[in-house]
Amino acid sequence: MAKHYGMCFGVRDALAEAETVASRRPATILGELVHNEVVRERLDKAGVREGQLEAEGAPTPDVIVTAHGASDRERKRWASIGYRVTDTTCPLVRKAHAALAGLVLEGYTPVVIGKRGHVEVRGLTGDFPGAFVVLDEGEVESMPYAERFGVVAQTTQPIERVEDLLDKIRRRHPASEVVFKDTVCQPTKARQKALESLCKEVDFVLVVGGHNSNNSRQLVEKARRSGCRSERVTRSGEIDIEWFSDARVVGVTAGTSTLEESVEEVVGHLESLGGRREELPRPDTAGAFSGKKLAV
Ligand code: SF4
């Protein structure tokens, strides 16, 4: 097992808050709380309906803003038309909002390194419609000149990609002042870093995470860049045993929206196929799950 994997505090707290609201009265969540099918099913069972953040209305008087956050404009719009708004935005997403707002206040042209259309990025740019969103060289090339750029990142982007794009922005506009506020969140960095170490010890990395989860996809991509074969599954039923045909050691990690019970279900399945899990010492870091090793 990677030394850091699985659900982060931001998602855990958002999930608990949404379930608490739903236990008192019917509620509509404005989008997917997180991009994880198992979590969505759990919320559905708890009576939480799904609506859309940009929609005109919701079927319940209570609405919940997801961990990915929303623009102030959207949050205020829901409150102004009479909905009770529960805001489960992760504090680290709020920090990214504050960083971007601060840069705009200081006169910088806002730039977000992140995936265009992703709900967190829509929330970040919602109050600053002139913000640039970049995730590849082409998008950087299309940025017109500005005297001063203020840059933040989507919280779940790999830091090396962010630094690479920052470098490209600086080379594209050498005469501009470019200020960067590092808003990639610590749990994302910890999981990416732990994956680097894991890849040195294993032949194959299995990522447990939702199919729409950005950070789970990033884990797969990073494992592959590190020379490991890698696949992502939400549940054990998606595993193809052929993946491990020539793997001696399989590494397991999980995205920040993945429940521990999903990881256990997948690892339990590997054990039932003959895998052997070895317990390793628990890492000396708050918030990490215990490190374990699974050999097949
Ligand atoms: S991935 Fe990071 S920003 Fe997103 S909910 Fe988790 S801790 Fe918060």
Side-chain angles (χ1 to χ4, degrees):
M1 307 297 295
K3 281 196 171 178
H4 296 269
Y5 68 86
M7 189 167 279
C8 60
F9 76 94
V11 171
R12 186 196 59 214
D13 292 355
L15 181 58
E17 209 172 340
E19 286 178 326
T20 303
V21 172
S23 70
R24 294 185 190 131
R25 44 192 185 258
T28 305
I29 194 143
L30 301 173
E32 295 178 16
L33 180 83
V34 288
H35 301 311
N36 181 289
E37 294 85 337
V38 179
V39 173
R40 289 175 70 195
E41 282 167 19
R42 183 163 144 179
L43 284 170
D44 186 48
K45 278 197 196 119
V48 180
R49 302 179 190 197
E50 271 188 18
Q52 286 306 317
L53 185 62
E54 284 91 1
E56 290 305 310
T60 62
D62 271 84
V63 295
I64 302 171
V65 172
T66 71
H68 295 112
S71 63
D72 277 353
R73 205 171 51 170
E74 276 301 326
R75 212 179 281 112
K76 283 180 187 150
R77 181 174 72 84
W78 282 97
S80 72
I81 46 182
Y83 287 94
R84 260 191 312 259
V85 181
T86 300
D87 189 353
T88 71
T89 305
C90 172
L92 300 184
V93 174
R94 284 179 199 275
K95 200 172 142 202
H97 278 254
L100 191 64
L103 287 166
V104 171
L105 207 64
E106 288 173 38
Y108 290 91
T109 298
V111 181
V112 177
I113 295 177
K115 191 164 187 272
R116 189 182 299 279
H118 186 282
V119 63
E120 182 190 322
V121 175
R122 290 208 311 272
L124 276 167
T125 56
D127 294 321
F128 310 108
F132 294 104
V133 177
V134 295
L135 198 58
D136 60 37
E137 192 159 5
E139 286 172 326
V140 171
E141 284 303 312
S142 65
M143 278 171 61
Y145 170 79
E147 202 179 324
R148 306 201 299 161
F149 289 108
V151 186
V152 301
Q154 184 181 354
T155 54
T156 51
Q157 287 297 326
I159 188 67
E160 62 267 34
R161 172 186 279 175
V162 171
E163 283 167 353
D164 178 56
L165 284 160
L166 201 55
D167 194 47
K168 285 184 167 62
I169 294 170
R170 291 196 166 114
R171 276 190 278 119
R172 165 86 175 94
H173 292 295
S176 305
E177 181 193 353
V178 180
V179 169
F180 171 57
K181 303 279 183 194
D182 182 0
T183 52
V184 176
C185 77
Q186 198 50 42
T188 292
K189 284 179 182 161
R191 281 149 187 73
Q192 292 262 338
K193 191 99 192 117
L195 179 59
E196 267 172 37
S197 311
L198 186 71
C199 283
K200 291 181 187 141
E201 296 185 39
V202 305
D203 312 298
F204 188 100
V205 173
L206 193 60
V207 177
V208 187
H211 291 289
N212 294 326
S213 158
N214 184 56
N215 75 82
S216 298
R217 186 174 52 246
Q218 303 291 358
L219 290 171
V220 172
E221 287 175 10
K222 188 177 181 79
R224 289 177 181 166
R225 278 199 306 276
S226 306
C228 273
R229 287 179 294 116
S230 182
E231 296 292 342
R232 174 180 39 168
V233 294
T234 307
R235 298 180 175 84
S236 62
E238 296 165 18
I239 292 173
D240 180 349
I241 191 67
E242 285 300 312
W243 292 338
F244 316 129
S245 54
D246 55 356
R248 192 180 56 84
V249 184
V250 173
V252 179
T253 185
T256 50
S257 53
T258 306
L259 292 163
E260 177 66 0
E261 65 202 51
S262 297
V263 179
E264 279 304 312
E265 192 261 330
V266 166
V267 174
H269 180 71
L270 294 180
E271 287 177 309
S272 76
L273 294 173
R276 176 170 49 82
R277 181 174 6 191
E278 291 173 18
E279 299 291 329
L280 293 177
R282 191 181 177 86
D284 185 21
T285 312
F289 292 114
S290 62
K292 302 156 198 161
K293 194 170 190 179
L294 181 76
V296 293

